[in-house]
Amino acid sequence: MTEIKSLLFDELQTKLQALDEPVYRASQIMDWVYKKQAGGFEKMSDLPRTLRTQLAQNFSMGKLDVVRVFGSRDTTRKFLFRLGDGNLIESVLIPASPALYGQKSDRQTACVSTQVGCAYGCKFCASGLDGFSRNLRANEIVDQIIAIERASGEKIDNIVFMGMGEPLANFGNVMRAIRILNAPWGLGIGARHITVSTSGLAPQIKKLADEPLQIRLAISLHGATDEVRNQIMPINRRYNLETLLSACDYYVERKKQRLTFEYILIASVNDTDEQAHLLARHAHRFSAKVNLIPYNTVQGLPWLRPSQNCQEKFLSILRTHGIPATLRREKGGDIDAACGQLRLQTKRMQGRHPERRAPESPVALPSK
Ligand code: SF4
């Protein structure tokens, strides 16, 4: 079975030709899949019944069940999804993102996952605690946005690849998903409203720079020296800071874009004045914006959030250097929104107490 939400337009046309169907049907089918977001082929009422049967026999619509939805007081909502093979992934809907990724505050941002688990083992992150299972397929990435839109009734117009997994380690599937999200026949989300985040895979940053789409790049820096990054991000031992920054030079040169540096502030690890001054220097090199994110405590990990005073001081040092920087009020801290925590808690609860499995689908999706 071919996953229809993993196909590009011309690929669907080729498949239709192989089924002796006219290629113009591709427009109708994509319209049902992405604009009307039909849940099944039988709903595609302007297609001949024989074609609907053919489609159902040859293509799959995919399966992404909502397991749990957590809404926080500030209306950030976190979704725990079950994939067709039973694996769990997380996505987050952030209704307003003032200056977070350079967008206006009325945007509906979806933060999506790209892998089940993560192999990169950043020391502060819950996603890697249970190791890596597998890459998500393109349709599983696209389906997160569709499922969020259906469950929330909101139109997503901004996407950040900052959920579970390292997006650039799943390069082919992520790029395929981005093409589908961006295409006029797909979800039609502007490339400049799509941000890919990486922990520092330097070769893949260059590969991304050679892609024609003007998507945005965010670097999860989290340390302004090799010493600090080596302590919390094992990837830095493979691609050290200068290798990473050189790849960023290439990206900026090719794309003529500003970068964003993500920087999780962790008490007594990366929150010193010296780190702030060095971070400002790196940001200056790329005219980059800096998003400071106070650490969200993860059960079982030793790291702590710096005091409010310390956070403000770090921010003020960056601003003294003229760096556009924001300090995120952690939306969703009250729903364990830090990457990977909800999945980990659910998996552990199921492992220890199989009788207390999370409900299958407590949230009903609106039927199409
Ligand atoms: S921060 Fe990102 S790259 Fe690092 S372990 Fe977590 S998911 Fe993986």
Side-chain angles (χ1 to χ4, degrees), residues 144-330:
Q144 292 174 62
I145 289 104
I146 293 176
I148 291 174
E149 288 191 346
R150 293 183 69 192
S152 67
E154 304 284 358
K155 177 84 183 91
I156 302 297
D157 46 20
N158 202 43
I159 296 173
V160 293
F161 286 85
M162 293 185 187
M164 185 173 20
E166 162 55 62
L168 295 188
N170 186 13
F171 195 91
N173 290 340
V174 167
M175 284 313 302
R176 175 172 282 269
I178 288 173
R179 285 190 190 101
I180 294 167
L181 296 170
N182 171 250
W185 50 262
L187 288 178
I189 297 169
R192 290 176 186 277
H193 299 298
I194 298 174
T195 301
V196 170
S197 166
T198 179
S199 59
L201 272 66
Q204 282 84 349
I205 290 172
K206 290 185 177 172
K207 202 169 156 190
L208 189 68
D210 292 333
E211 288 283 334
L213 281 176
Q214 277 292 345
I215 50 180
R216 295 188 179 275
L217 178 65
I219 306 294
S220 296
L221 204 62
H222 310 325
T225 55
D226 280 324
E227 191 188 0
V228 169
R229 273 179 60 89
N230 283 344
Q231 193 187 341
I232 54 177
M233 302 182 77
I235 184 70
N236 198 68
R237 294 183 188 273
R238 200 180 324 163
Y239 307 114
N240 66 18
L241 190 60
E242 192 42 47
T243 305
L244 168 60
L245 297 180
S246 296
C248 292
D249 280 329
Y250 183 79
Y251 190 90
V252 169
E253 173 57 29
R254 294 285 301 210
K255 296 284 189 192
K256 312 286 182 225
Q257 267 186 21
R258 290 176 93 174
L259 296 180
T260 300
F261 286 150
E262 303 289 326
Y263 198 98
I264 295 179
L265 282 168
I266 307 173
S268 307
V269 173
N270 63 2
D271 61 344
T272 61
D273 294 1
E274 186 203 4
Q275 286 288 306
H277 288 293
L278 287 169
L279 174 60
R281 189 194 295 173
H282 299 320
H284 188 68
R285 171 169 166 180
F286 303 102
S287 302
K289 296 170 292 178
V290 176
N291 288 333
L292 298 175
I293 308 152
Y295 183 65
N296 209 6
T297 312
V298 174
Q299 204 183 354
L301 294 181
W303 316 103
L304 295 172
R305 174 184 292 219
S307 68
Q308 192 73 37
N309 277 350
C310 183
Q311 296 172 29
E312 296 293 345
K313 188 173 179 211
F314 201 95
L315 176 67
S316 74
I317 291 172
L318 294 178
R319 288 191 169 157
T320 306
H321 284 279
I323 304 300
T326 58
L327 176 61
R328 188 191 300 184
R329 295 210 173 283
E330 189 55 76

